Amino acid sequence: AGSPPILSVNNIEVVYDNVFLAVKGVSLDVAEGGVVALLGANGAGKSTTLKAISGLLKPERGAVTRGDIAFRGESLLGLDPPDRVRLGLVHVLEGRRVFEHLTPRENLIAATSMHRDRRGVKDLIDRTFTWFPRLAERAKAKAGYLSGGEQQMLAIGRALMTEPKLLMLDEPSLGLSPLLVDEIFDILRKVNAEAGVAVLLVEQNAAAALDFVDQAYLVDNGRVVMGGAAATVKANPDVQAAYLGGG
Ligand code: ATP
């Protein structure tokens, strides 16, 4: 309580191709330095919500966003994705998109603003390699030869080079072993604690996500059907039955 949320999404709707309402009035908040998950089944509208926040949905490509999104007290509507990155909002898309022919170091450099001096870039690379020692070890291999987990780390590392205030991640655990999922969540926890970066992640792996976040929202069929402290959401019998394999 006290300080206003860093991100405040107010009753947004997303329509695809004029007809399909994929997001039907979603509202959610992320506190300063908060760690929040959007949980829910395939097709529930989680990825679409993240894309609306980062500005990747383009009306000219048939995806219209309505409603209000405020980040650090500023409305994001009308700002393109690079402007939102400059404000401190970065989005790691699903599927670990890295430049496969570049090394991890080159991938990180390519993610920095052109306005940074060399010293600043070096400090950011050092910081990233401290968080992801595995990437430092593989600094000379082309990213295409990294494991899936290492590529996910690199995708997150690239996003951190923009010095975000809020890091949004779409399915960071996808296709990774439980051990690697833990490793990535541990690193994200460190980034959150050491750099104060807030985290908003989309996860189908509800069990892993609920052990990591402070707050969670459950999305079903384009709507938020439940939200609250992670422990409360985790203890809910419906969540247990539908998402945590209990009953
Ligand atoms: P997933 O984990 O599969 O990504 P999700 O909860 O993130 O699920 P979305 O990807 O947001 O769900 O998709 C929500 C709905 O919108 C789905 O029915 C999907 O088919 C539809 N959809 C997504 N992208 C588009 C698009 N570009 N054009 C039309 N419909 C789309």
Side-chain angles (χ1 to χ4, degrees):
S3 60
I6 187 167
L7 176 75
S8 185
V9 172
N10 203 345
N11 201 21
I12 60 163
E13 290 185 347
V14 177
V15 181
Y16 284 120
D17 305 319
N18 283 318
V19 290
F20 184 70
L21 195 56
V23 174
K24 305 171 181 170
V26 162
S27 297
L28 62 93
D29 284 347
V30 177
E32 288 275 354
V35 183
V36 178
L38 296 185
L39 308 175
N42 227 315
K46 308 178 302 293
S47 300
T48 299
T49 299
L50 283 200
K51 287 178 190 161
I53 297 168
S54 58
L56 293 175
L57 298 173
K58 296 283 188 264
E60 63 272 24
R61 275 186 255 141
V64 173
T65 307
R66 291 190 286 256
D68 240 27
I69 305 171
F71 181 65
R72 302 169 75 195
E74 239 182 276
S75 173
L76 292 181
L77 298 184
L79 296 186
D80 63 16
D83 284 337
R84 298 184 198 205
V85 171
R86 277 189 282 274
L87 282 178
L89 175 67
V90 74
H91 183 177
V92 181
L93 293 168
E94 188 175 326
R96 319 162 187 146
R97 302 178 193 197
V98 298
F99 296 122
E100 300 194 343
H101 299 288
L102 300 182
T103 65
R105 178 182 295 279
E106 290 162 347
N107 266 276
L108 296 179
I109 291 169
T112 56
S113 149
M114 293 192 299
H115 305 293
R116 278 212 159 272
D117 59 23
R118 290 176 67 163
R119 172 87 228 165
V121 171
K122 188 188 173 297
D123 288 349
L124 284 173
I125 291 174
D126 288 349
R127 181 177 89 146
T128 305
F129 281 155
T130 307
W131 281 324
F132 299 96
R134 264 174 193 258
L135 294 182
E137 284 164 25
R138 315 249 14 220
K140 293 205 172 88
K142 286 200 177 11
Y145 295 113
L146 300 180
S147 72
E150 289 162 349
Q151 288 187 14
Q152 181 62 269
M153 290 177 191
L154 183 54
I156 298 169
R158 284 174 48 81
L160 292 171
M161 293 296 285
T162 69
E163 296 183 275
K165 304 266 190 308
L166 173 63
L167 173 67
M168 300 201 298
L169 305 150
D170 198 339
E171 302 267 3
S173 78
L174 196 72
L176 304 184
S177 71
L179 223 63
L180 262 167
V181 173
D182 282 349
E183 192 175 331
I184 285 181
F185 282 160
D186 282 346
I187 293 167
L188 289 173
R189 207 173 268 128
K190 240 191 215 173
V191 169
N192 175 253
E194 291 173 11
V197 178
V199 179
L200 174 61
L201 79 160
V202 157
E203 263 300 339
Q204 282 187 51
N205 185 345
L210 284 169
D211 284 339
F212 165 60
V213 300
D214 340 307
Q215 300 277 321
Y217 294 92
L218 196 58
V219 182
D220 184 34
N221 193 20
R223 292 192 170 86
V224 169
V225 293
M226 187 188 306
T232 311
V233 172
K234 196 175 172 177
N236 181 283
D238 296 337
V239 172
Q240 290 276 334
Y243 301 100
L244 296 172

